[in-house]
Amino acid sequence: MQGITPNLPGILVNGTVQNLGQNENRYKPICQLFNNTYRFATLYDTTNRIPVFSAYTFTGNTTGRPDDPWMIEPQLNGEKNSPEMQKMKKVPYKNQADNNDYGHGQDEIDYKGVNRGHLFPSSHAHDLDTQKSTFTLTNIVPQVVSINNGSWREMEENVREKLMTDCFRDNRKIKAYVVTGAVPSKKNKLNNRVNIPKFLWTAYCCLDKNKIDNKTNKKKDEWKKKSEWMAKAHWGWNNKVQKKTLDQLTLGALEEKLNEHHTGPVKVFPKDCPRY
């Protein structure tokens, strides 16, 4: 949000990746580039072969779902001259997941009952190329099928509608900041390579249309006061025992949950985003 990254102690602090000691070269920031345009940002865990989080700006959505091959990130293979995501050329990839891990390109696999779960969902993309860019395995975690197709998908749809109706930017068009992440399990792996996360989480922050509309006499440069920002969050276990609907939480409640898995206080968004 506004160039400020989440704070995840032990992983990312004040915009600096914590690749120290045994974690050397483990976490890789990726500016997700597709068709010569940067689409979103991801912090990738090359040990667990899943993203820590993907962060994007929501400005509306387009319909449909592209039927294109899944892609990988060449920079994770040491191809420094190829910053743009590309179709797979070989398997397996040492530092990232590939189609072989997820069942040779099938939408679902039988092993452990998981399939490809987007962090930046294609249904939140504002145009076709951005939709296509979400189909990179660096934006994917193994997600339990019943969750991915059930409560998580319902939550993504509900959040999308909320962002479409309640989030504004200065020119009064839609704009919201979204971060979606995964907390890895200790030992649960797909294909003995890819960590199956313990739980997934998501949060958004935006200027609140309703609060702005109630202050029509305010000048534009006064809109961005803390009181006019709105933030909400969700999280859910990545297992078959799951509620049909995920509860909407405060940003503060989510950060408290994430604090259980980090060595210091987590901050998903800057201080302007209200915690409660």
Side-chain angles (χ1 to χ4, degrees), residues 63-210:
T63 58
R65 180 184 173 98
D67 186 22
D68 283 13
W70 289 90
M71 295 177 286
I72 52 87
E73 180 59 42
Q75 294 178 80
L76 298 184
N77 306 322
E79 299 178 34
K80 296 181 180 180
N81 60 333
S82 302
E84 182 161 329
M85 61 182 73
Q86 60 186 221
K87 298 175 184 178
M88 296 181 195
K89 296 180 180 178
K90 58 181 179 179
V91 291
Y93 290 91
K94 180 181 178 181
N95 296 320
Q96 60 188 300
D98 56 55
N99 273 336
N100 190 56
D101 296 313
Y102 285 91
H104 300 282
Q106 299 172 16
D107 287 336
E108 297 182 9
I109 64 173
D110 295 328
Y111 182 58
K112 294 197 174 182
V114 300
N115 61 4
R116 297 169 176 82
H118 283 71
L119 295 193
F120 176 9
S122 65
S123 62
H124 284 203
H126 71 278
D127 61 23
L128 180 59
D129 271 357
T130 305
Q131 272 194 321
K132 290 180 178 180
S133 75
T134 69
F135 286 83
T136 169
L137 290 181
T138 53
N139 181 47
I140 297 297
V141 299
Q143 190 171 19
V144 170
V145 174
S146 60
I147 305 303
N148 193 11
N149 297 341
S151 58
W152 194 261
R153 175 177 291 180
E154 179 190 50
M155 178 275 296
E156 289 175 339
E157 292 172 353
N158 292 340
V159 167
R160 181 185 65 210
E161 296 308 310
K162 182 75 171 176
L163 301 183
M164 293 281 286
T165 57
D166 290 359
C167 291
F168 264 4
R169 54 184 174 184
D170 286 0
N171 58 7
R172 303 180 75 82
K173 292 184 178 180
I174 298 166
K175 187 175 185 179
Y177 302 98
V178 187
V179 181
T180 303
V183 173
S185 60
K186 290 186 177 180
K187 295 182 179 180
N188 200 11
K189 290 186 178 181
L190 178 66
N191 197 29
N192 202 34
R193 281 181 18 104
V194 182
N195 188 282
I196 300 176
K198 189 176 188 178
F199 69 86
L200 279 72
W201 57 271
T202 187
Y204 67 86
C205 184
C206 68
L207 287 171
D208 189 336
K209 170 184 177 294
N210 298 311

Side-chain angles (χ1 to χ4, degrees), residues 14-29:
N14 296 327
T16 301
V17 177
Q18 306 297 287
N19 281 330
L20 305 173
Q22 293 182 345
N23 286 340
E24 187 176 1
N25 297 321
R26 175 175 179 175
Y27 300 108
K28 300 289 188 180

